[in-house]
Structures are given as structure tokens and as C-alpha cells.
Amino acid sequence: MPRTITIDPVTRIEGHSKITIHVDDHGVVTDARFHTTQFRGFEKLCEGRPFYEMPSLMARTCGICPVSHLIASSKACDQILAVKIPPAAEKLRRIINLAQIIQSHALSFFHLSSPDFLLGLDFDPARRNLFGVLEANPQAARDGIAMRKFGQRIIEMLGGKRIHPAWVVPGGVNEPLTEERRTAILAMIPEAYEIAERTLAWFEPMVEHHREEILTFANFPTMFLALVNDRGQLDFYDGGLRFVDAAGNIVADHVPPAEYAEHIAEAVEPWTFMKFPYHQAFGYPQGIYRVGPLARLNVISAMGTPRADDAWRRMMQDERGPVLSSFHYHWARLIEILAGVERIERLLRDPEILSRHVRAHAEPNRHEGIGISEAPRGTLIHHYWVDDEGLVTRANLIIATGHNNLAMNRGILQAAKHYLDGRKITEGALNRVEAVIRAFDPCLSCSTHAAGQMALDVSLVGPGGEIIDRVQRD
Amino acid sequence: MAAPVKVVTLCIDGRDVSGREGETVLEVARQSGIEIPTLCHMDGLEPVGACRLCLVEVTGQARLQPACVTQVSEGMQVATVTDRLRTYRRMILEMLFSERNHVCSVCVSNGHCELQDLAQSEGLTHIGLRYRYPTLSVDASHERYVIDHNRCVLCTRCVRVCDEIEGAHTWDVMARGIDSQVITDLAEPWGHSDSCTSCGKCVHVCPTGAIVEKGKSVAEMAKRAKFLPYLSMMREEW
Amino acid sequence: MPRVLVIGFGNPLRGDDAAGALAAEEIARTHLDLDLEVRVVHQLTPELAWDISQAARVIFLDARAGGEPGEIVCERLRPGPRRPLASMHSLGPVDLIASAHLLYGAEPEAWLLTVAGERFEHGEDLSPRVRAAMKMLIASVDRMIGVSRAA
């Protein structure tokens, strides 16, 4: 008799979601599904609005990473204006984008995921939490806080103290950087280096202790997708799309953003609002690919900054070819934090960064605009169509969690098959299924703070929908 | 030679004040440093008493009177701050907010909006009425300006400034009641208007983000309406 | 370094859940005291522990489920004993106080003021009884910090 095990909702990720694990008569796991219950319809909301409102409207797709949407959206608008934005504006946008990535990675690594690799997945669940981490390594906890503050302060200094900064605008940014603020940000750089390198030195030896997780954490062949610059180096802001396969061969390279749709198509499943993007040439679902920190580090030819390049080479030596296990997302995040600090420093030391020319003005000159950038969780695509007057007629968004949707489902299935015997729901098994999801760090953009909403609910459901077993924890 | 001006004495909020005959309660109150909230009113334009925010209580009159069109008279007793007035003002604001689609957070006029300022000064943090969410259009056909009917409060400042000051009378109001809408020429797209001189006065008198310059991002559309009294003054002196 | 830190938290798109955040916004808007720092956040995040460690007094403002809608409860928070956490995303005020203590050795006087909510569904509006309680919530904070306010 097939049964369904439901884990609802996943704790410690951004937003609200539900997992069902389907088992057959013999208790063998046959399928796993990651459900998103939220549907915000942002694409519909944009229709009829002037295109230049898109960045601030789109920033509200998410209270967690508004800056990423601002960047991709403004880039799409730049294309509608048909302008090349002033160089200082591009550099400033790069800085705020990197700051966003750093603060987001810091939360994910230090606070959301660290219990998993610091304490282990079979650790007493009552203590496998923040205080477990604080007690096990208070320095890491303080470092996590300091790193997050580093990113947040930069965002505040550039974009203001709001949750949704309106500083990034079509055509550039709306205020130049002052000398005073540049000095203030530069003063924070040494501590940021110190933390990033200290944490890497602490994390790298731990990888050995997690061999089993590494083998089962969404460790399967997929393609990877990320932006690279013209030299094939990491680029969070611009460049072309590169796909590599599971063996590390480049499948498509320097794909101009305007041609993304020739490579990426989206499938729809009846049980979730989220679409399933796949690589067209390989079909659905064989065209599975991953985006995000790990994908970025897998597709690039080099990081492009000295400290991050060293760290990247150490990670790549750990496995041959592209790193396939999603457990390495955590490692990748750390390396990207280091790369982000290096890049922010480099951009700030460029004298051009203080230029007062930071915004290009134009009328809408094109009917279509595509903006692609790298958000903390992966490649973000904003695509708008406008009429003659610049009113949006259609919008398409492909967010990182969307790109990873297929891989995330396959990852849950893999972990469930390995750790669940299909009859009993063990803590360790549940933690591993959840940990797979966390490794992808999906952002479901709904901030479910409302009291009592984040409990864990696990159900074993029979073929007729009857609940056979249920485990709940607060 | 100008006719002699008759001065009247009246009492506003317990204070004895004086004004010239023919002046409105609003004018006299503001000259005396008494603030009465307004929205459709604008110095330099003919008052119309449309928004009802400036309602005041006049002793001896059961109905509330709009201060912007009520003339002062000898011995008048006026109250501008009472519980009844506060309740009405808040109700008017709640109706304005719920009638169309005012989404401050993504509005180009966020932080520079008279409707928003009024909500703050009247202590309005939430709307108790059900939002109507009407489907309204945005007309971006003009080369430089946009009208977003979602954010229009029908104060008719645009209509008046265009008619009284610019003399173009491009703007007018169409239909009645809840279906009312400001229009350009004979409800044609603004960009097709033959009468519009593209002077931009309507943009700067508009109290909200309804009529704005194209290409402004959120919170960037600050209005400059200070020009108006000078313009009317110069016209009168000609 | 602020003497008093007010942290209002809640989701502005979840009805009464926003009560604490809205009250904090109002306090930020009307208080003139420079010794006061106000944070308005969707949810509590770990780095707030650092801000807390820098304050002499911390006041959390939140909505709560349960109780007569609009009812305000004030409680003193202390760093221990530690309760288990299911989720970093359900980080509570006590957890932050405890973190500030454990990580930075700080022990500011901490209070939690909650107003009982009625509706937590999607929507930007407070329910009438919670809306009516907002003034009292703000006044309670006023009394606790005794600072001057703008008109």
C-alpha cells in the first residue's frame, strides 16, 4: 500500500514549504516532492505599470534579498532604455550586490546551516540548535554576526536604512558615493578578511567528518549554470551564461542574456506553483541543472581574485571535476564571502568609484529588456516586455530557487531513499531530508513570522489520503 | 480707487482673530497661525470645496462648513479641532485610500505626497474600510508626463491650474460619483492632446503620485508647487 | 551607543502580526530622544544579539496569538534557562537576550510587550480591537522610557 510521508513545514529556511515522501507497499521510497504553497503572482501584478517602477516593485518579491531583484530588474530596465550606464554606477551596483550576497551567505552558513555540520545530524535534537552552536563555537557565532553586519552596513551606507532600498534605478543609481562612506567601508575590510579566512580554516578540515553526508547530499550528476565574465571568471553582476555538464565539460558558453530563452525552458507540474526550468537541448527532466554558490564555483575557470582563487583551488582538489554534492554549497558560500570582500575592496580602491556621473537618462527605446545577475542563491532572470509608452505588457521571472527546483526534488528523493526505511520516521532521517533542502537555501519569499507557523509536521499518508502516522515537533 | 476694506472680528478655536470681509475662514485661520488640513485647496487656485478635509464647526449651524469656501463674518464662532471633525477627517482619508489603489511603498511620490502627509498628521495608520481595488489605467502616451488614475484623489487641482493659470483647459472631469475620472481633451490619450502645452503645471500641483514626470523611480518625485501664488500674482498685476 | 533599544517585529502583510512593528515605526517617527534606537524588522535575526549587547535596556514589541484581542502583556525577560529551539527562524526575544549574554557577556534589562492579535491572515490591516490597542501599546513604551515626543 503506497504511503506518503509529509514534512511540513521545513524549519530554518526562508519561507514556508512542505515535503511529501511517497513510499510503495514495501516501504520503498518512490518519489519525493518539495511543495511551495505560496503564490504571489508578481508577474501578473506588473502588467500595465510603467517599466521604471519595476525595480522597486520587484524588490518586494522578497523581504530577504530585495537587492538582488533590484539589480536584475534595473538591468532589464537599462535595456529598455537602451543605455550603457555610467561606469561608476555599474561599480556601485556591483558593490551593493556583493554586500547582499555576503550578508545572505553569512546567515545561511553561520546561523541556518551550521548546526548541521557543526553538531552533526544525529545530535540530540533538543540541543541541535542555536545554543548548541553558540556553546560549541562562540567565535563562529560572533563571526557570523559580524559578517552579516558587514554586508548590511554596506547596503545601508549605499541604499539607506530601508528594507527595500530605492537607490538602484533604471539607468544607474540615484546618488553617488561619498569619500566619507568609501573610507568607512574600507575600514571594515580587514576584519571581514580575518573572519572569512578564519572560518575557512576552521571549516575545511571538518569536511572529512562529513563524508557520508557528502555522498548522499543531493550528490548526483546535473549540469550547472552561472554567469561568467569574458575570461570565464566568476561574475555576480554581468557577463554571459555558462552551462557545464557533470563531467565539467562546457555545454554552452558566453550565452548573451538576450538569448537565455534559447537554452532555458520551463515545465509546469500540477502539484506546485513553482515552475521547473530545464535546459532545452536535453529536454525535461533530463535537462536538470543547478544554480547558486556551488554551481558558480563549478562553472568558472577562475575566481579572479587571489585569496578566493586559493580557497577555490583547495575545494576543487577535494573532488575531481565539478563538485556534485550539494553539501559543498556550504563551502562554496564561504569562498564566495571571501571573494565578495576582495571584490568590494578592489572596487572601492578604483578612483572612478567616486564619480558623480552615476545615472543615464533616456526614454524607453526598446520593447524588451532582459536583466540577468547572480543572487545569493543563484542566477536571477528578469525579462520584461513593454508597449510603445513603456507600460509593461508581460514579465517573466526565473528565480534561483526555481532553477534548482528539479535538483532539490531529486536531492530529497536521494536522501529519503538512503535514510528512510519507509516505515518509521526517524529524527536523523528527517533532519537529513531537511538538510538537503537547506543546502539549496531556497527562498520562498513569504516571511512566515506569524506565531505558531513554523512547527514541523510529518505525516505518513496512505493511498486513500488517510494519515497512517504523524510526527509533530515545535 | 479701491473700495474701503471692512474688517470683521471672529473667534477661531477660542482665539479672537480678525480678517477682511470676503476672506475665507481658511485664509484667516492660516494668517493667524491656525492650521486646518486641506487637500484640494491650493493657494493661487480657485477654491472648490471638493475634498471636505477642511470642514469646521460654526456655532449656530448644524452642518459642518468647508473652511476654504466659507467667508468670515462678524462675531462668527469657529472650531477647527473637535472629536467630530477628527472622526470625519479620518473617515474622508480612509475613503480616499480605499477608493483607488494607493500603494505608497512602490509609489514615485512616496515621502513627497500630501495624501500621505495628511494620513500621518491625522494619525491614520490603517484603513478600516474595505479596499475597492478598481481596475484603472495608466496613460503614458505623453512624451514627458504620466497620469496614473490609481493614485488620483480627484482634487481637480490639475483641471484648475490648466484652466485658470495656463489657459489651456486640457484637463476636465468625466462621469459622476465613483466613476469620475480626470481626462485630457475629450478623453483622448494625453499624448494626442492638441490643447496641452506640456507646461507641467499639473504635475507640480498634483498632491499625489497621480500626475508625475516620466522615468522617476520610487520616492523620487518631489513636487514644486511654490511657483503658483507668484504666477497668479503676476497675472493680476498685468 | 543607545541607552534604549526598541525592537518591533512582525510581518506587515500578515494582519495583526504587524502590531509590534507598526508601534515601533510610530515610536521611531515621534520620539526625539537621541538615546533611543528603534529597529523595525520582519523577523528576529541572530545579529540583533549584537545590537542588544550594546544597549542598557531593550524593549521588544510583538503580536501574540492567544488572549483577548487587544490585550497587552508586559513581561521581564532574562537570559536563562535556555529553551530548545526548533528553528533559527522562530528565534525569539529570549533567545536573542541569551545570545547577547553568551556571546558578548551583556545583560541589558529586557522587556517584552505583546498585544494579542485576532487575525493573522494575509492583509495589511489590523483588526479593530488591535488597532484600538495601538495607542496604549505606544503609551506603555513611553512610560517605560519616559522620553519626549514630537507633537
Side-chain angles (χ1 to χ4, degrees), chain A residues 120-444:
Chain A
L121 291 162
D122 295 311
F123 198 77
D124 174 11
R127 290 179 54 222
R128 201 175 69 88
N129 57 40
L130 179 69
F131 294 108
V133 174
L134 299 191
E135 278 165 350
N137 194 336
Q139 183 62 47
R142 279 192 292 267
D143 283 351
I145 286 172
M147 212 64 232
R148 217 164 127 71
K149 288 228 149 256
F150 172 75
Q152 284 172 342
R153 279 198 188 125
I154 294 174
I155 294 171
E156 275 175 22
M157 275 194 256
L158 296 177
K161 252 190 168 181
R162 288 152 300 193
I163 294 176
H164 300 284
W167 175 70
V168 183
V169 294
V173 297
N174 72 10
E175 226 185 306
L177 179 68
T178 61
E179 176 72 64
E180 189 193 356
R181 287 187 174 158
R182 171 164 80 161
T183 309
I185 300 173
L186 279 171
M188 302 190 292
I189 297 276
E191 193 199 355
Y193 276 136
E194 214 175 284
I195 293 171
E197 299 210 310
R198 172 161 65 221
T199 312
L200 269 166
W202 163 68
F203 181 83
E204 285 171 5
M206 274 199 304
V207 173
E208 255 337 286
H209 302 302
H210 291 282
R211 281 293 155 205
E212 195 189 353
E213 270 94 20
I214 289 166
L215 288 174
T216 50
F217 250 57
N219 185 356
F220 45 80
T222 66
M223 285 182 282
F224 294 93
L225 164 68
L227 283 176
V228 292
N229 69 11
D230 46 15
R231 282 181 287 172
Q233 295 167 334
L234 183 70
D235 199 324
F236 293 102
Y237 176 80
D238 208 4
L241 296 171
R242 179 186 277 184
F243 284 90
V244 302
D245 66 17
N249 306 307
I250 293 173
V251 175
D253 206 3
H254 302 300
V255 176
E259 291 167 23
Y260 84 91
E262 287 166 29
H263 294 264
I264 300 167
E266 292 178 279
V268 177
E269 292 282 358
W271 46 270
T272 176
F273 283 119
M274 204 178 284
K275 291 178 188 166
F276 291 83
Y278 60 96
H279 192 288
Q280 279 200 3
F282 296 81
Y284 178 76
Q286 292 75 27
I288 182 171
Y289 63 87
R290 282 180 262 182
V291 299
L294 182 62
R296 286 191 285 258
L297 269 50
N298 274 334
V299 309
I300 54 168
S301 312
M303 295 292 284
T305 46
R307 298 185 200 221
D309 263 318
D310 283 348
W312 178 69
R313 275 190 288 270
R314 287 198 296 275
M315 175 170 153
M316 288 297 147
Q317 275 161 14
D318 192 65
E319 293 196 12
R320 285 177 184 281
V323 178
L324 297 178
S325 168
S326 293
F327 188 84
H328 283 64
Y329 266 104
H330 303 312
W331 197 347
R333 279 192 195 100
L334 274 182
I335 297 172
E336 287 196 339
I337 287 176
L338 181 59
V341 179
E342 283 184 290
R343 279 157 187 258
I344 288 172
E345 185 186 22
R346 197 160 68 182
L347 288 160
L348 284 171
R349 297 215 184 274
D350 184 334
E352 197 175 35
I353 201 76
L354 295 176
S355 166
R356 302 201 56 80
H357 186 37
V358 291
R359 187 172 187 174
H361 293 274
E363 291 178 21
N365 289 305
R366 287 198 192 128
H367 285 116
E368 206 177 330
I370 297 167
I372 305 188
S373 62
E374 288 290 331
R377 294 159 180 81
T379 314
L380 178 62
I381 303 175
H382 280 228
H383 188 174
Y384 311 143
W385 290 261
V386 300
D387 64 15
D388 289 340
E389 293 162 9
L391 301 182
V392 174
T393 54
R394 205 181 130 204
N396 189 35
L397 260 68
I398 306 181
I399 57 164
T401 302
H403 291 292
N404 282 332
N405 206 6
L406 265 177
M408 215 151 43
N409 279 281
R410 194 172 295 181
I412 298 164
L413 180 60
Q414 189 184 42
K417 275 185 168 165
H418 192 89
Y419 289 104
L420 266 178
D421 65 5
R423 311 233 171 251
K424 194 171 174 296
I425 306 165
T426 61
E427 275 289 336
L430 284 189
N431 290 340
R432 279 173 175 87
V433 168
E434 282 190 77
V436 169
I437 299 289
R438 272 201 297 284
F440 285 95
D441 193 20
C443 174
L444 303 167

Side-chain angles (χ1 to χ4, degrees), chain B residues 33-63:
Chain B
I34 297 166
E35 203 37 59
I36 299 173
T38 56
L39 183 59
C40 69
H41 176 83
M42 176 157 255
D43 287 340
L45 296 180
E46 280 298 312
V48 287
C51 73
R52 317 310 277 179
L53 274 165
C54 69
L55 286 176
V56 293
E57 288 181 20
V58 178
T59 307
Q61 298 194 28
R63 290 176 59 187

